[in-house]
């Protein structure tokens, strides 16, 4: 198998949720799937590394574009939703997303953008 690089950890949110969850799990801790959290205007709200995620059967239809956070707190993917279970904010320890949401913005309309 070829060596992994940071480019391998770039997430394509139009892919199926199951594939994204496996990629996040497989590429942690290195190179790690890094994302930046952006608001509707494209301004950066924060950065984090995704540690664990799982596909979700909940779907809110085609209202949301790929990579956007839905009203239920899930991330829209190509064929459904991705439930982020654990994340690691930049410079911090890994934590459950529920704990992250208590102190940071994570609401509908925000977008996750993958960075290399």
């Amino acid at each position: 198998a070829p060596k992994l690089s940071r480019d391998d950890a770039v997430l394509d949110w139009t892919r199926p949720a199951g594939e994204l969850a496996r990629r996040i799990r497989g590429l942690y801790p290195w190179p790690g799937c890094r994302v930046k959290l952006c608001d509707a205007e494209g301004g950066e709200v924060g950065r984090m590394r995704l540690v664990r995620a799982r596909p979700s059967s909940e779907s809110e239809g085609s209202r949301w574009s790929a990579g956007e956070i839905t009203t239920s707190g899930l991330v829209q993917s190509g064929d459904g939703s991705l439930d982020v279970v654990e994340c690691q904010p930049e410079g911090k320890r890994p934590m459950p997303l529920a704990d992250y949401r208590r102190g940071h913005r994570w609401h509908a309309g925000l977008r996750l953008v993958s960075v290399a």
Side-chain angles (χ1 to χ4, degrees):
K3 276 183 131 178
L4 292 175
S5 69
R6 291 196 189 271
D7 294 332
D8 296 323
V10 174
L11 297 173
D12 179 10
W13 295 106
T14 60
R15 305 295 304 160
E19 181 182 318
L20 291 172
R22 289 189 300 272
R23 181 174 284 267
I24 290 167
R25 184 178 62 241
L27 295 176
Y28 182 80
W30 197 89
C33 296
R34 292 185 176 90
V35 295
K36 61 182 177 178
L37 192 60
C38 298
D39 57 14
E41 291 81 35
E44 187 176 319
V45 175
R47 286 181 179 245
M48 69 178 71
R49 181 181 294 189
L50 301 178
V51 177
R52 284 190 319 136
R54 61 180 169 229
S56 175
S57 59
E58 290 183 41
S59 181
E60 296 185 20
S62 60
R63 176 180 173 196
W64 305 101
S65 58
E68 207 167 4
I69 298 173
T70 64
T71 53
S72 57
L74 304 173
V75 181
Q76 185 68 32
S77 68
D79 73 342
S81 299
L82 185 71
D83 182 14
V84 177
V85 178
E86 198 172 349
C87 67
Q88 181 177 2
E90 213 166 49
K92 307 278 184 181
R93 293 177 184 248
M95 65 177 68
L97 184 67
D99 292 346
Y100 177 82
R101 290 178 72 172
R102 287 187 187 102
H104 298 85
R105 291 173 48 186
W106 185 277
H107 55 80
L110 292 179
R111 175 179 302 281
L112 291 179
V113 178
S114 190
V115 293

